[in-house]
C-alpha cells in the first residue's frame, strides 16, 4: 500500500504542473500550434514515464508494470475520446484560443471526479468481491458495443448540462473566454462555462469505461489514480496536436475492444486464474501497436490507390 507521503508528493507535483501550464505557459488565451502541442505532448509523456520509473525504484517491478499498463489503457481510451471533444467545440463554435483553457479546467474537474470514483470503486471491490464479475461482464459488453458500432454519435444539444444551463446563458456569442458575467445585478452564464460543463458531464461517461478497465488491472488506489491522472494531464496538448485527425485511427475502436474484452475476461476468471501483470502489459502494448500500424497502413494504401 502506498504511503501518505507518496500521495502528498504526487499532488504537489500535480499542482505545480497545472500552475506552470495555465499560469505561465498558457497564461494568455491563444490558439496552440500543432508543433507546440506535439512538444508539450512529448513533455507530458516523458513525465509519465519518469514517474513510472520512480515507482519502479521505490515500489518494485510489479507496481511499475501495473502503472504502465493502466497508463497505456487510459491513454488509449482518452485518444479515442478526443474526437468527442472536437465535436463539442465545433458545435458551440468555440474559438481556438479558448479551447486550451476550457480543457484545463475540464481536466481539473476530471481529476477530482476520478479520484472520488476510484476510491469508491476500490472500497466497494474490497467489501463486495462479487462486483469484480459484474464489472468484468460490463467490460465485455462495452467491448462488444465497440465492435458493432460503426461510428461515434455525439449530440451536444442533448447533453443534460446544456439543457439545464441554456436558460441561464447571457449570450451565445463568444465575447470572451470568461465563465460568468453580471448584468443588471444578475450572475449569468457565458458559453465557455456551458462548454466546460458539457465536457465534464461527457467525461463522466468516459470514466464508466476507463475506471473499471484499470480496476480490472489493479485495485491499488495510488496506481489506478496516478496512471489515470498522468494519462489525462497530457490530453489538452494531445488534442491540439491531433485535433480532428484523430479519426484517421480508424481501427482504434477494434483495438480498444480487444483490450477491454481481455480485461473483462481477466476479471471473470480471477477466482480460478490470475493473469501475470507482465502478460497484461504485453497484451496491451501488442494490441495498441498493431492497431496503430494497421490504421496507418490502410491510410497509406488508400492514398496510393487514389494517386494511381
Amino acid at each position: 500500500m502506498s504511503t501518505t507521503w507518496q500521495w502528498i508528493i504526487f499532488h504537489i507535483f500535480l499542482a505545480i504542473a497545472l500552475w506552470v501550464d495555465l499560469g505561465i505557459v498558457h497564461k494568455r488565451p491563444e490558439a496552440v500550434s500543432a508543433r507546440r502541442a506535439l512538444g508539450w505532448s512529448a513533455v507530458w509523456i516523458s513525465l509519465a514515464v519518469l514517474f513510472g520509473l520512480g515507482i519502479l525504484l521505490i515500489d518494485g517491478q510489479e507496481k511499475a508494470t501495473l502503472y504502465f499498463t493502466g497508463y497505456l489503457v487510459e491513454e488509449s481510451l482518452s485518444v479515442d475520446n478526443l474526437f468527442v471533444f472536437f465535436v463539442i467545440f465545433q458545435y458551440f463554435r468555440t474559438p481556438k484560443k479558448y479551447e486550451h483553457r476550457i480543457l484545463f479546467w475540464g481536466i481539473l474537474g476530471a481529476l477530482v471526479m476520478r479520484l472520488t470514483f476510484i476510491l469508491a470503486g476500490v472500497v466497494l471491490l474490497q467489501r463486495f468481491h462479487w462486483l469484480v464479475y459484474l464489472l468484468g461482464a460490463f467490460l465485455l459488453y462495452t467491448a462488444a458495443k465497440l465492435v458493432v458500432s460503426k461510428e461515434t454519435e455525439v449530440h451536444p444539444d442533448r447533453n443534460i448540462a446544456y439543457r439545464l444551463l441554456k436558460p441561464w446563458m447571457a449570450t451565445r456569442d463568444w465575447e470572451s473566454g470568461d465563465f460568468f458575467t453580471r448584468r443588471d445585478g444578475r450572475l449569468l452564464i457565458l458559453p465557455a462555462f456551458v462548454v466546460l460543463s458539457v465536457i465534464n458531464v461527457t467525461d463522466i461517461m468516459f470514466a464508466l469505461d476507463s475506471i473499471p478497465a484499470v480496476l480490472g488491472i489493479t485495485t491499488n488506489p495510488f496506481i489506478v489514480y496516478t496512471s489515470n491522472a498522468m494519462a489525462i494531464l497530457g490530453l489538452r496538448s494531445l488534442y491540439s496536436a491531433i485535433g480532428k485527425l484523430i479519426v484517421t485511427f480508424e481501427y482504434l475502436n477494434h483495438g480498444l475492444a480487444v483490450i477491454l474484452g481481455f480485461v473483462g475476461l481477466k476479471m471473470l476468471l480471477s477466482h480460478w486464474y490470475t493473469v501475470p501483470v507482465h502478460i497484461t502489459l504485453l497484451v496491451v502494448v501488442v494490441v495498441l501497436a498493431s492497431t496503430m500500424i494497421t490504421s496507418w497502413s490502410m491510410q497509406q494504401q488508400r492514398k496510393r490507390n487514389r494517386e494511381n
Side-chain angles (χ1 to χ4, degrees):
M1 186 65 67
S2 302
T3 58
T4 302
W5 68 264
Q6 286 178 295
W7 282 93
I8 293 173
I9 289 177
F10 179 73
H11 281 93
I12 290 174
F13 158 77
L14 210 59
I16 293 174
L18 292 172
W19 173 72
V20 169
D21 190 311
L22 192 66
I24 298 178
V25 179
H26 300 104
K27 189 174 183 179
R28 293 178 299 178
E30 58 182 352
V32 180
S33 65
R35 183 176 180 180
R36 185 179 180 187
L38 282 171
W40 275 102
S41 294
V43 169
W44 288 115
I45 292 172
S46 299
L47 288 174
V49 172
L50 288 174
F51 186 81
L53 294 177
I55 292 179
L56 175 64
L57 292 174
I58 297 172
D59 294 320
Q61 181 179 350
E62 182 176 351
K63 285 190 177 180
T65 304
L66 291 171
Y67 163 81
F68 282 116
T69 306
Y71 173 79
L72 286 174
V73 170
E74 176 61 29
E75 188 77 357
S76 58
L77 287 167
S78 297
V79 167
D80 187 47
N81 296 327
L82 291 182
F83 175 69
V84 179
F85 291 159
F86 173 75
V87 173
I88 292 173
F89 284 136
Q90 288 291 105
Y91 178 82
F92 291 103
R93 298 179 181 177
T94 309
K96 287 287 184 183
K97 62 181 180 180
Y98 299 137
E99 288 181 355
H100 193 87
R101 180 171 181 266
I102 292 172
L103 283 177
F104 172 90
W105 291 107
I107 286 173
L108 190 62
L111 290 173
V112 175
M113 181 272 295
R114 289 180 186 230
L115 177 60
T116 304
F117 279 16
I118 287 167
L119 294 178
V122 169
V123 170
L124 288 173
L125 287 174
Q126 289 175 346
R127 292 190 178 184
F128 308 102
H129 181 72
W130 56 268
L131 285 174
V132 169
Y133 309 114
L134 184 63
L135 289 178
F138 173 75
L139 289 178
L140 285 177
Y141 165 75
T142 304
K145 190 170 65 173
L146 282 174
V147 171
V148 300
S149 61
K150 294 183 178 179
E151 58 183 19
T152 303
E153 293 187 5
V154 187
H155 303 283
D157 56 315
R158 300 180 189 176
N159 189 285
I160 187 172
Y162 177 58
R163 290 184 176 184
L164 291 174
L165 297 176
K166 186 177 178 181
W168 305 97
M169 291 178 65
T171 177
R172 297 184 185 182
D173 297 325
W174 287 85
E175 300 172 352
S176 70
D178 295 333
F179 293 142
F180 304 99
T181 187
R182 280 196 175 274
R183 292 186 180 177
D184 300 325
R186 296 177 59 199
L187 184 65
L188 296 175
I189 296 169
L190 292 175
F193 184 77
V194 175
V195 175
L196 172 63
S197 302
V198 171
I199 286 176
N200 280 336
V201 170
T202 304
D203 185 70
I204 293 176
M205 304 306 297
F206 295 165
L208 294 179
D209 290 340
S210 63
I211 291 178
V214 182
L215 287 175
I217 296 168
T218 176
T219 55
N220 183 305
F222 184 73
I223 299 298
V224 176
Y225 178 63
T226 53
S227 61
N228 259 253
M230 294 305 294
I232 64 177
L233 272 176
L235 198 57
R236 294 150 300 150
S237 297
L238 198 59
Y239 171 81
S240 299
I242 299 177
K244 61 183 179 181
L245 294 179
I246 192 60
V247 297
T248 60
F249 298 118
E250 56 188 299
Y251 294 106
L252 181 60
N253 275 358
H254 295 80
L256 293 177
V258 173
I259 292 172
L260 292 179
F262 172 78
V263 176
L265 285 174
K266 176 176 176 287
M267 297 176 82
L268 291 176
L269 299 175
S270 60
H271 180 72
W272 299 276
Y273 178 72
T274 301
V275 179
V277 293
H278 66 277
I279 296 298
T280 304
L281 177 59
L282 181 63
V283 169
V284 172
V285 171
V286 170
V287 170
L288 288 179
S290 302
T291 299
M292 296 301 179
I293 292 172
T294 302
S295 296
W296 180 81
S297 298
M298 293 303 295
Q299 288 287 330
Q300 294 301 309
Q301 182 64 43
R302 279 193 288 269
K303 184 178 178 180
R304 286 193 293 268
N305 291 340
R306 286 195 299 266
E307 291 175 351
N308 294 332

